[in-house]
Amino acid sequence: MKTVKARRPQPAIREGRAADQQRSANKAGSRGKPAAQPLQTPFAKTGATKKKPVSASEAARNRAKNLPDTGRSSTPATGTRKRGNSTVGMSRMIAQAIAKTTGAREVQGIKTPTEAVETTQTTIVHHGDKSGKNVKRAKRMKQRQGSQQELAFQQILREKRLASTEIEDDRLQKVLAYSGLGSRRDMEEVIEAERVTIGGRVATLGCKVSPGDEVRIDGKRVALKWPDRMVRIIMYHKQEGELVSRDDPEGRVTVFERLRRVYSSKWIAIGRLDFNTTGLLLFTTSGELANRMTHPSFQVEREYAVRVHGQLTPEQMKELTQGVKLDDGEAHFARIEDRGGEGSNHWYHVVIKEGRNREVRRMFEHFNIMVSRLTRIRFGMFSLPGRLKRGEFYELSETEVLAATKWAGLTMMGQVKD
């Protein structure tokens, strides 16, 4: 059936209806009621519109909500009072609606669009220390995704877990530290104070624990975490003025405050860098991988870019490779390369196979040459990416972690191969 669109009445019909309303208003005025003002036709130049009647219940709801007058009335317009500007009432309604929306957002904890933009731009983490410092989280380096086949293989590696029967027993203080309850040294003090029990018996230093054992500290049960999933590794470009420590009594910024928290385990720093040294700093969730890369017996190379005031002679460079005596013993570079420079500044690349405290700086100071800048550019098989800016981090993909654990002679879960 064809629908016919409703058409507006003709001008003559509209004028007739207006005349009928005028006559009815005059009759009401002759009975003692105030006479109504002449009704304006839709073609009047004043631009006034006819008020629409509303029900009593709607009027009560409007009064309860404390809404402004919207130009509606429950009776026909028979009064002589002048009508106000309709835009004033509309602006009041908009203002009240904005205020109610803001109040509802505050009650529900919803951020305004401005606050949401500010939150996405900068993430500030407030740590509850005495200094009340605000530490900005490190940003993730932008990278491209691999192919679909590579992403599918990474998903398989990510979801793989070890069964509890495949996890070997380990020392109690090591498991407690891995669970994020504190450093290994702190856990040893807690065990020596007889505050830890295993299955209802007081634990001793050096005892081992296995999955399924009930461990309690001060009577409260502890949820132990085990290395049952794939190792995680991140590369962080350390800045000057950051301390490689979990806690600093002086309130300085630490690298662990800059990193994102990992809930399944905890980050372990692979080696250290001085307070004023920049460059590549590695973190992992595998204690065995950290031990393989930092222990002197494994002889893992560390390469540094060094800027000094002055220049070494060929004899001094040869002596540095042969060995110089320091306060804590003899030290030497595996290699040293002259990279040139401008003015009083000169650059060298050095390779060392151990990580004693301020060792590179002290070796140059042995010849009264001060180091003005020190940057680690390589640690073992890991090189500092050129796109990794200071204060940013990059987490290795599952395929890259698999290659790293194979290079270190470990399983993908960070265990020593049989």
Side-chain angles (χ1 to χ4, degrees):
M1 179 178 179
K2 184 176 180 181
T3 58
V4 180
K5 187 176 180 180
R7 303 175 63 182
R8 296 182 60 185
Q10 297 295 329
I13 299 176
R14 292 198 297 268
E15 291 178 0
R17 290 178 181 177
D20 294 340
Q21 293 179 3
Q22 181 65 33
R23 284 193 295 270
S24 61
N26 292 336
K27 291 180 181 180
S30 61
R31 295 172 186 170
K33 297 181 181 180
Q37 295 292 333
L39 294 177
Q40 305 255 351
T41 62
F43 299 96
K45 296 183 179 179
T46 57
T49 56
K50 184 171 63 176
K51 294 184 179 180
K52 298 180 181 180
V54 296
S55 62
S57 59
E58 184 176 356
R61 285 197 300 270
N62 291 342
R63 288 194 299 271
K65 294 180 181 179
N66 195 20
L67 293 177
D69 186 13
T70 60
R72 292 174 178 259
S73 176
S74 58
T75 58
T78 58
T80 60
R81 186 178 59 181
K82 294 183 179 180
R83 283 183 266 185
N85 191 359
S86 60
T87 58
V88 177
M90 185 62 65
S91 62
R92 290 177 181 174
M93 290 181 61
I94 295 174
Q96 290 186 0
I98 293 174
K100 289 184 178 181
T101 304
T102 305
R105 286 177 177 271
E106 292 179 356
V107 172
Q108 299 176 8
I110 303 176
K111 298 182 180 179
T112 61
T114 306
E115 295 175 347
V117 171
E118 294 177 353
T119 305
T120 55
Q121 291 178 351
T122 304
T123 305
I124 302 297
V125 180
H126 177 72
H127 297 270
D129 55 353
K130 297 181 180 180
S131 62
K133 58 184 177 181
N134 291 330
V135 182
K136 186 177 178 180
R137 290 290 195 191
K139 296 182 180 179
R140 184 188 296 271
M141 184 185 76
K142 296 181 180 180
Q143 56 185 353
R144 296 180 179 178
Q145 291 185 350
S147 61
Q148 294 183 356
Q149 183 178 1
E150 185 178 359
L151 293 177
F153 181 62
Q154 292 175 3
Q155 182 68 21
I156 295 174
L157 296 176
R158 193 181 305 117
E159 295 177 353
K160 190 172 182 180
R161 298 288 184 272
L162 281 179
S164 58
T165 55
E166 299 177 355
I167 302 176
E168 298 180 355
D169 300 348
D170 210 339
R171 287 175 296 174
L172 178 60
Q173 60 268 26
K174 183 178 179 181
V175 175
L176 293 176
Y178 184 83
S179 302
L181 300 177
S183 64
R184 193 175 301 186
R185 189 171 301 176
D186 294 339
M187 294 299 99
E188 290 177 356
E189 295 178 357
V190 173
I191 296 172
E192 290 178 349
E194 298 183 352
R195 296 169 54 189
V196 184
T197 59
I198 302 176
R201 296 182 180 181
V202 178
T204 58
L205 192 63
C207 64
K208 292 188 176 183
V209 64
S210 59
D213 292 342
E214 182 180 324
V215 179
R216 295 179 179 268
I217 298 180
D218 296 332
K220 186 177 180 179
R221 187 167 184 175
V222 178
L224 300 180
K225 298 177 182 178
W226 300 89
D228 59 344
R229 60 186 65 196
M230 192 173 188
V231 176
R232 295 178 63 182
I233 304 173
I234 61 175
M235 294 190 294
Y236 174 64
H237 194 162
K238 180 186 174 297
Q239 308 175 97
E240 292 182 354
E242 295 177 350
L243 198 67
V244 185
S245 176
R246 294 191 178 275
D247 188 20
D248 181 43
E250 300 180 10
R252 293 172 293 184
V253 177
T254 66
V255 293
F256 291 98
E257 294 171 343
R258 301 268 290 139
L259 298 178
R260 301 179 185 273
R261 185 179 177 185
V262 55
Y263 293 94
S264 59
S265 56
K266 71 170 185 176
W267 293 120
I268 302 172
I270 302 178
R272 293 175 177 268
L273 289 178
D274 298 335
F275 186 72
N276 294 325
T277 303
T278 63
L280 178 61
L281 186 60
L282 298 173
F283 293 89
T284 181
T285 57
S286 173
E288 192 62 39
L289 177 61
N291 181 61
R292 287 292 180 101
M293 296 192 65
T294 57
H295 200 276
S297 60
F298 293 100
Q299 296 287 297
V300 179
E301 292 185 350
R302 304 148 170 90
E303 185 174 355
Y304 294 86
V306 190
R307 190 185 70 179
V308 299
H309 290 297
Q311 188 174 356
L312 293 172
T313 63
E315 292 77 12
Q316 291 174 341
M317 294 176 60
K318 184 177 180 181
E319 188 175 352
L320 285 173
T321 56
Q322 292 177 352
V324 294
K325 291 184 179 181
L326 302 179
D327 296 339
D328 53 354
E330 186 175 322
H332 70 279
F333 291 139
R335 293 189 304 273
I336 181 171
E337 298 178 7
D338 190 343
R339 293 301 181 98
E342 297 179 356
S344 61
N345 294 325
H346 209 82
W347 283 94
Y348 295 93
H349 280 199
V350 299
V351 176
I352 196 169
K353 294 185 178 181
E354 57 183 358
R356 283 186 276 177
N357 185 28
R358 301 183 73 254
E359 187 172 6
V360 175
R361 295 179 184 270
R362 289 186 295 152
M363 292 178 70
F364 278 92
E365 292 172 0
H366 180 76
F367 298 104
N368 296 325
I369 296 179
M370 300 300 297
V371 176
S372 59
R373 181 175 295 178
L374 184 62
T375 303
R376 183 157 67 189
I377 58 177
R378 185 173 63 86
F379 196 139
M381 65 169 291
F382 304 98
S383 297
L384 183 65
R387 297 186 297 111
L388 187 62
K389 301 178 182 179
R390 292 189 180 186
E392 292 185 351
F393 74 96
Y394 165 68
E395 183 169 358
L396 274 66
S397 63
E398 284 74 12
T399 51
E400 293 172 334
V401 171
L402 190 62
T405 53
K406 184 178 180 180
W407 169 80
L410 303 175
T411 64
M412 59 180 293
M413 304 300 179
Q415 299 175 338
V416 181
K417 293 183 179 181
D418 295 336

